[in-house]
Amino acid sequence: ECSFVLTDIADFTMLVEQSDPTRIVTLLNGYLEGMTRIALEHGGTIDKITGDAFAVMFSAPVPQIDHAQRAVACALAIDHFAVHFAEQQRRAGVPLGETRIGVNSGEVIVGNVGSQSQFDYRALGDAINTASRLEGANRHIGTRISVGQATVERCASFVGRSIGTLMLKGKSSSVVAFEPTPAALQTSPFYAQYEAAFRLLAAEDPSAHTAFEALRREVPKDPLVCFYLERLNRGVTGTIIRLDEK
């Protein structure tokens, strides 16, 4: 049983196509250096690096009883680093996109996979595939971090808010997802107000529309508030989110 943190930079392929190769390599090396440092500080194992995509595994090869908690803490630290790194690049004239993060836990097969001449130590299974789908779901919802319920249930002290029930492309079952709250914001009353509005929405209570309008007046650019209010304005109720793309 492991936990996984998977990340990807929005629109990075487009940036590569439009930028000087030397500058891109320097940027990517600096980014991955920071990501690797954070992963190792939290006791993670680098599962793989493919271009700008970065995957971290917890509880393998050495079991970690708190692997889910480590994964969430790692995701928050990566998000903090990535936001500041992107801001630095933009000030330097490089339009680096935001880093999207998916976190999930579950049973997987872990071992050396490959050919006689080359192999990788890696994980295979639905838990890591779902983490990848959760990372991609951020693009449609507007969030930066999506954590699966399987991880939240294994955390001793998860603090976050509900995203919704995601019907992910390529999966037959739904995934309940959450957004972890950074430590600096955990005492903000806004998140309790959001959860109250979310419960109204889940119950398809007509007053949910008023509740989300009030939240947007308080925090106009909050991604989940904007996402659900846009749906409500189209007459879509409930908290089930169907995603037809990865």
Side-chain angles (χ1 to χ4, degrees), residues 112-222:
N112 294 323
V113 178
S115 65
Q116 290 184 346
S117 60
Q118 183 173 345
F119 59 83
D120 291 321
Y121 180 80
R122 62 189 308 179
L124 302 171
D126 182 66
I128 189 169
N129 294 337
T130 299
S132 176
R133 296 291 190 273
L134 287 167
E135 178 273 309
N138 291 300
R139 176 165 63 95
H140 305 283
I141 301 167
T143 49
R144 293 197 304 269
I145 309 176
S146 291
V147 181
Q149 186 174 23
T151 299
V152 172
E153 290 174 345
R154 290 166 171 79
C155 283
S157 56
F158 179 85
V159 179
R161 60 173 171 166
S162 303
I163 290 177
T165 301
L166 307 183
M167 305 298 294
L168 300 169
K169 182 177 176 61
K171 286 188 61 64
S172 58
S173 57
S174 61
V175 178
V176 178
F178 300 84
E179 180 188 50
T181 305
L185 300 175
Q186 289 179 3
T187 58
S188 170
F190 171 79
Y191 291 93
Q193 295 166 9
Y194 170 86
E195 284 297 326
F198 184 89
R199 287 192 294 271
L200 293 173
L201 187 60
E204 300 195 10
D205 188 318
S207 63
H209 193 281
T210 301
F212 273 92
E213 284 184 327
L215 287 171
R216 190 170 67 173
R217 286 194 295 271
E218 185 173 344
V219 184
K221 295 183 179 180
D222 181 82

Side-chain angles (χ1 to χ4, degrees), residues 35-54:
M35 299 284 278
T36 300
R37 173 182 53 78
I38 292 168
L40 297 179
E41 285 175 352
H42 287 82
T45 299
I46 309 303
D47 183 64
K48 61 180 176 179
I49 299 173
T50 307
D52 63 297
F54 190 77

Side-chain angles (χ1 to χ4, degrees), residues 15-16 43 47 65 84 135-136 164 177 189 193 198 208 225 231-232:
L15 178 63
V16 170
D47 183 64
I65 193 170
H84 288 281
E135 178 273 309
Q193 295 166 9
F198 184 89
V225 170
R231 278 172 41 118
L232 285 164

Side-chain angles (χ1 to χ4, degrees), residues 26 64 90 131 236:
T26 301
Q64 297 165 319
R90 290 168 196 150
V236 180

